[in-house]
Amino acid sequence: MALSRLSLRSNSFLKPLAATALPTSIRRHVSTDTTPITIETAVPFTSHLCEAPSRSVETSSEEILAFFRDMARMRRMEIAADSLYKAKLIRGFCHLYDGQEALAVGMEAAITRKDAIITSYRDHCTFLGRGGELVDAFSELMGRKRGCSNGKGGSMHFYKKDASFYGGHGIVGAQIPLGCGLAFAQKYSKEENVTFTLYGDGAANQGQLFEALNIAALWDLPAILVCENNHYGMGTATWRSAKSPAYFKRGDYVPGLKVDGMDALAVKQACKFAKEHALKNGPIILEMDTYRYHGHSMSDPGSTYRTRDEISGVRQVRDPIERVRKLLLSHDIATEKELKDMEKEVRKEVDDAVAQAKESPVPEPSELFTNMYVKDCGVESFGADRKELKVTLP
């Protein structure tokens, strides 16, 4: 169990749940108390050119319960996406995040919606963590108008500007210089916010990472580069693709931190530490040691380059949801039945969202030609219903 010690600062932190917080079936004694409690992570942080943060993480019963609920929702969403893809209701590419949910919830617990996040094509749960709606996610996956990108981006291009979520990017590593550009804008505007740029271990060998990091370090940008190391770039293990798999040290002159990415509270602590550092000193690299249960994408069975025993072993020992479940049970924050009831409610919520998304219409054919250019910036397209393009020169 990764979360090994919980010490209460109050003997009466368990209180009745507010009537509107959860369904009736789980309102017996599940706590929403915000009284601070402290949990020490089992795995220490490993640092490079900086002092590691404390292993003692301040949280509350309310936050731990929220972690469980949010990760259960993310896990169920990805399972549903798997089924929709196999039913050919999702077409094209589809990269699932199940196993890595602790990153999405832990990061959100440490920052605000004014802090920016930009990521790769494995973006469904990050969108949900930023406050995105399930129905908007499923609509986008199925190419429907209600989708977060109006059904035109699909699995790889989720977007939510009002929550500072700048996508879902399909080109490996391309989001890294974009993320550093967002951090530049934050510094230029004198905002007290940071940008988290997420990329995988496969993208960690991209030259553009080092070019962007060089500029970010020269200009002390509030950029936090987060390597989601799930140990396989597509079907290639890290030991085959990286001479130095210590990704948190890859910045050389930039501080770094290695984190247990399957522990939501460790992720929260690391992201809080990184934000404080970046605002004062410039960029920092976080390597999140995590794992994906599905293959690289839905076209990859994920079992040709690793054994099924390896996958099941991670599930048994490191699964982020099960870790939080054990914490909730062992400290009497919730009972097994209450947690199972919560999971049933989550399953219904996901099923309802899928049904609503299926009712959303597909975009009109003319939409193929919209959103291609910014109006009055050189080229305008009138759409498929008019066989002409108007070209205006600046």
Side-chain angles (χ1 to χ4, degrees):
M1 179 173 168
L3 307 176
S4 60
R5 180 173 64 84
L6 182 149
S7 58
L8 305 183
R9 296 185 182 179
S10 169
N11 292 325
S12 59
F13 78 99
L14 297 178
K15 296 180 180 179
L17 185 63
T20 59
L22 289 170
T24 306
S25 57
I26 48 176
R27 283 185 197 155
R28 190 166 56 82
H29 81 271
V30 180
S31 177
T32 56
D33 189 10
T34 57
T35 302
I37 58 178
T38 301
I39 295 173
E40 183 175 289
T41 62
V43 179
F45 300 102
T46 307
S47 62
H48 169 66
L49 299 181
C50 64
E51 292 292 328
S54 170
R55 291 173 59 186
S56 298
V57 187
E58 187 173 285
T59 183
S60 67
S61 55
E62 178 185 46
E63 181 176 71
I64 300 169
L65 192 66
F67 283 169
F68 180 85
R69 182 179 61 249
D70 292 345
M71 287 194 290
R73 183 182 291 114
M74 291 173 182
R75 179 73 57 86
R76 194 67 209 171
M77 175 182 68
E78 297 296 63
I79 292 171
D82 175 289
S83 298
L84 290 169
Y85 191 92
K86 290 173 179 174
K88 296 185 178 181
L89 291 171
I90 297 174
R91 309 305 290 261
F93 295 102
C94 184
H95 303 80
L96 303 182
Y97 204 74
D98 48 323
Q100 300 183 207
E101 299 92 348
L103 289 168
V105 300
M107 186 177 299
E108 289 296 340
I111 63 177
T112 73
R113 297 280 165 82
K114 291 185 178 181
D115 295 308
I117 297 179
I118 188 168
T119 188
S120 67
Y121 39 74
R122 204 177 302 279
D123 57 2
H124 311 159
C125 293
T126 310
F127 170 77
L128 217 61
R130 291 266 86 182
E133 298 292 334
L134 280 167
V135 64
D136 295 340
F138 285 120
S139 296
E140 190 60 43
L141 286 168
M142 291 188 280
R144 308 303 176 97
K145 289 176 67 174
R146 182 169 174 174
C148 57
S149 296
N150 303 121
K152 301 170 75 172
S155 172
M156 304 173 80
H157 301 291
F158 279 39
Y159 192 78
K160 189 171 174 56
K161 186 179 179 181
D162 62 358
S164 306
F165 177 54
Y166 294 96
H169 293 265
I171 304 300
V172 175
Q175 72 277 14
I176 301 170
L178 295 177
C180 290
L182 290 168
F184 174 82
Q186 289 169 328
K187 183 166 185 176
Y188 184 84
S189 302
K190 295 181 170 55
E191 300 175 13
E192 288 297 306
N193 299 304
V194 300
T195 296
F196 285 79
T197 300
L198 281 58
Y199 58 97
D201 49 280
N205 300 315
Q206 284 273 328
Q208 57 193 321
L209 184 158
F210 300 97
E211 293 175 7
L213 188 60
N214 178 62
I215 293 294
L218 280 171
W219 294 344
D220 296 327
L221 301 183
I224 300 168
L225 275 63
V226 183
C227 178
E228 296 183 292
N229 180 10
N230 59 32
H231 298 273
Y232 294 96
M234 297 186 72
T236 303
T238 54
W239 64 267
R240 296 180 58 204
S241 62
K243 182 64 177 176
S244 172
Y247 299 106
F248 69 106
K249 296 181 180 179
R250 287 289 198 87
D252 186 17
Y253 45 82
V254 174
L257 197 67
K258 185 172 183 179
V259 185
D260 181 1
M262 304 291 271
D263 180 342
L265 287 169
V267 173
K268 172 191 169 182
Q269 187 82 330
C271 290
K272 178 182 177 183
F273 172 86
K275 179 176 178 177
E276 292 171 355
H277 172 94
L279 287 173
K280 294 178 182 177
N281 307 303
I284 184 172
I285 295 175
L286 300 179
E287 178 189 344
M288 300 291 182
D289 183 7
T290 186
Y291 198 82
R292 57 172 163 81
Y293 295 151
H294 269 83
H296 169 72
S297 69
M298 283 301 298
S299 61
D300 168 24
S303 57
T304 57
Y305 49 85
R306 57 182 181 173
T307 66
R308 296 188 183 278
D309 287 344
E310 176 185 312
I311 301 169
S312 63
V314 174
R315 282 183 178 273
Q316 292 172 18
V317 178
R318 301 186 65 208
D319 184 82
I321 298 177
E322 292 308 308
R323 284 178 163 187
V324 173
R325 186 196 303 274
K326 290 177 182 177
L327 186 67
L328 290 166
L329 294 174
S330 62
H331 297 284
D332 199 30
I333 298 172
T335 67
E336 183 68 55
K337 182 181 185 305
E338 289 162 343
L339 296 180
K340 285 186 179 298
D341 287 344
M342 184 182 292
E343 289 174 309
K344 289 178 182 177
E345 292 291 338
V346 165
R347 179 176 294 197
K348 184 178 185 304
E349 182 184 357
V350 170
D351 290 345
D352 289 346
V354 170
Q356 290 181 55
K358 287 179 179 178
E359 295 299 317
S360 177
V362 298
E364 296 295 328
S366 61
E367 285 296 310
L368 283 169
F369 296 91
T370 61
N371 305 125
M372 294 172 65
Y373 302 99
V374 176
K375 187 175 177 63
D376 299 325
C377 286
V379 181
E380 295 180 29
S381 169
F382 289 106
D385 56 332
R386 293 175 61 182
K387 298 180 180 180
E388 61 176 308
L389 290 176
K390 178 183 177 183
V391 179
T392 57
L393 298 177

